[in-house]
Amino acid sequence: DPNVHLTIKLTDMNVCLTWPMQRVEAAFQCLDAYIVDPLCIKPCSTDFLHCVASLVDEEEFPEAIIGVAEGVSALLYLYISIIGFKPATVIVPSDLPLGSGLGSSAAFCVATSGAVLALSGALNLDSLQDVWLSLDESKQAIVNKWAFEGEKIIHGRPSGIDNTVSTFGNLVKYKSGHLTHIQQIFPVKMLITNTKVGRKTKAVVAGVSERWSRHPKAMNAVFSAVNDISEEISEIIQAPSSDDISISEQEGKLEELMEMNQGLLQCMGVSHPCIEAVLQTTSKYKLCSKLTGAGGGGCVLTLLPKCSLANIATHSLKVGGNKSGTTNMG
């Protein structure tokens, strides 16, 4: 009977998980009285996560799909924290590639947070309206804070930048734990190539941390250089360009900065042979590329300068079985 179960359907993965509500409630009996309050964002405690894990560990997940168990854990945390022990069927369709550096986990947490908060009535939405675009900034902030807690379950210590971009859109600058929304004026077009090599962000980040522990001075210098590059890119994309000459100059600077950034990411140990293959292929077309996300696989970004688009349009970039697509940043 669907009226007494909590069901999660991940349609694109052919995964369907169902728990009787009595079983869900029993899993959380060891906790003290748990007050459900959608407007009171509560970090997931270790005890709460153990209760969630007792449910998730009962299920079998496809080994080839990275991060599904963590994603289901985040969904259960958000649902029970905001809704409580009420039966429901949660259907999650998505065509975003997992573990590819495109922020799919953040998009998932933001969508889940928004949907569950809407179901709870906390957002006071009119179901006949365009519910997402109708959220004011204060309600978006609530969605974002819950999503960030979900991201912590998936990634451990995320920066919060991915869920913030997924919630508010546009560009965000992250520095020393602070997020700043920035206005993009300079248009940028990127080619996205999916290497289809999966990786776990937690593992890649742990590898960088280990390298830092062995070479703190050298790695601090690398981090400082990455910061300087990010600051300069931020200045470029916020600067207006009046003509093709200035656009070409700005694009040339972006190419150099992307190339330097990729070199520094290689120093951190987060590149991968499949990423290097994409870099070699795009360089044949005099294009500059860099990894995105945590690295170790995933996707690669290639800057498409305005002056080169006409030439690129007549060619097809292909690396093995990789897929490419374009995105506008502006």
Side-chain angles (χ1 to χ4, degrees):
D1 184 352
N3 293 323
V4 293
H5 288 76
L6 176 60
T7 300
I8 298 174
K9 294 182 179 180
L10 308 176
T11 57
D12 297 276
M13 303 175 195
N14 294 318
V15 173
C16 182
L17 312 171
T18 299
W19 297 274
M21 286 311 302
Q22 286 184 335
R23 171 68 189 99
V24 176
E25 291 189 53
F28 290 84
Q29 280 184 346
C30 61
L31 297 182
D32 294 331
Y34 192 78
I35 300 175
V36 175
D37 185 353
L39 300 181
C40 179
I41 293 87
K42 300 176 286 292
C44 185
S45 67
T46 301
D47 289 341
F48 194 99
L49 192 57
H50 284 160
C51 296
V52 170
S54 70
L55 295 173
V56 174
D57 290 346
E58 295 175 354
E59 305 295 331
E60 294 184 2
F61 299 95
E63 292 184 5
I65 305 177
I66 294 175
V68 178
E70 291 88 342
V72 170
S73 296
L75 191 155
L76 286 171
Y77 154 74
L78 290 170
Y79 184 86
I80 294 169
S81 297
I82 296 171
I83 298 294
F85 302 110
K86 296 180 180 179
T89 297
V90 182
I91 302 174
V92 185
S94 175
D95 56 4
L96 288 175
L98 302 181
S100 60
L102 296 181
S104 58
S105 65
F108 170 77
C109 286
V110 169
T112 301
S113 172
V116 175
L117 283 166
L119 180 63
S120 75
L123 301 180
N124 300 318
L125 298 175
D126 183 342
S127 61
L128 299 179
Q129 300 299 316
D130 189 342
V131 295
W132 188 247
L133 295 180
S134 68
L135 288 184
D136 60 36
E137 191 166 322
S138 63
K139 291 178 181 176
Q140 285 180 313
I142 296 171
V143 171
N144 191 41
K145 288 177 181 178
W146 275 114
F148 183 48
E149 296 304 325
E151 274 277 84
K152 290 179 182 178
I153 294 174
I154 297 174
H155 292 306
R157 296 179 61 187
S159 67
I161 193 169
D162 284 355
N163 52 275
T164 300
V165 170
S166 291
T167 302
F168 296 98
N170 297 317
L171 298 176
V172 175
K173 181 167 69 173
Y174 174 83
K175 183 177 181 180
S176 302
H178 298 288
L179 297 173
T180 306
H181 296 270
I182 61 177
Q183 182 180 7
Q184 180 182 354
I185 297 175
F186 185 75
V188 178
K189 178 169 278 193
M190 294 280 189
L191 175 76
I192 301 175
T193 302
N194 187 0
T195 67
K196 294 188 175 181
V197 174
R199 81 288 182 278
K200 284 193 174 184
T201 299
K202 278 184 181 179
V204 177
V205 172
V208 175
S209 180
E210 290 171 6
R211 183 168 289 204
W212 177 85
S213 67
R214 293 193 297 271
H215 315 286
K217 289 184 179 180
M219 288 294 283
N220 283 338
V222 171
F223 295 150
S224 178
V226 168
N227 177 70
D228 292 339
I229 289 171
S230 300
E231 292 287 356
E232 189 170 347
I233 288 177
S234 174
E235 293 173 3
I236 290 173
I237 62 179
Q238 292 181 87
S241 298
S242 56
D243 52 49
D244 288 345
I245 294 177
S246 60
I247 289 175
S248 180
E249 289 177 351
Q250 297 291 69
E251 288 177 338
K253 290 181 180 179
L254 284 176
E255 287 179 325
E256 290 177 344
L257 292 167
M258 285 179 62
E259 184 177 5
M260 287 188 282
N261 182 252
Q262 176 61 29
L264 293 167
L265 291 168
Q266 290 170 332
C267 290
M268 294 182 196
V270 298
S271 192
H272 187 278
C274 67
I275 294 173
E276 301 302 320
V278 175
L279 299 182
Q280 291 176 8
T281 300
T282 57
S283 67
K284 294 178 183 178
Y285 295 86
K286 302 188 184 308
L287 298 173
C288 186
S289 303
K290 68 173 291 293
L291 65 85
T292 183
C299 288
V300 177
L301 297 179
T302 301
L303 179 66
L304 300 181
K306 184 178 179 182
C307 61
S308 301
L309 289 179
N311 297 329
I312 298 170
T314 61
H315 295 84
S316 174
L317 295 182
K318 188 174 182 181
V319 185
N322 301 330
K323 289 186 176 180
S324 298
T326 58
T327 183
N328 279 306
M329 295 176 64

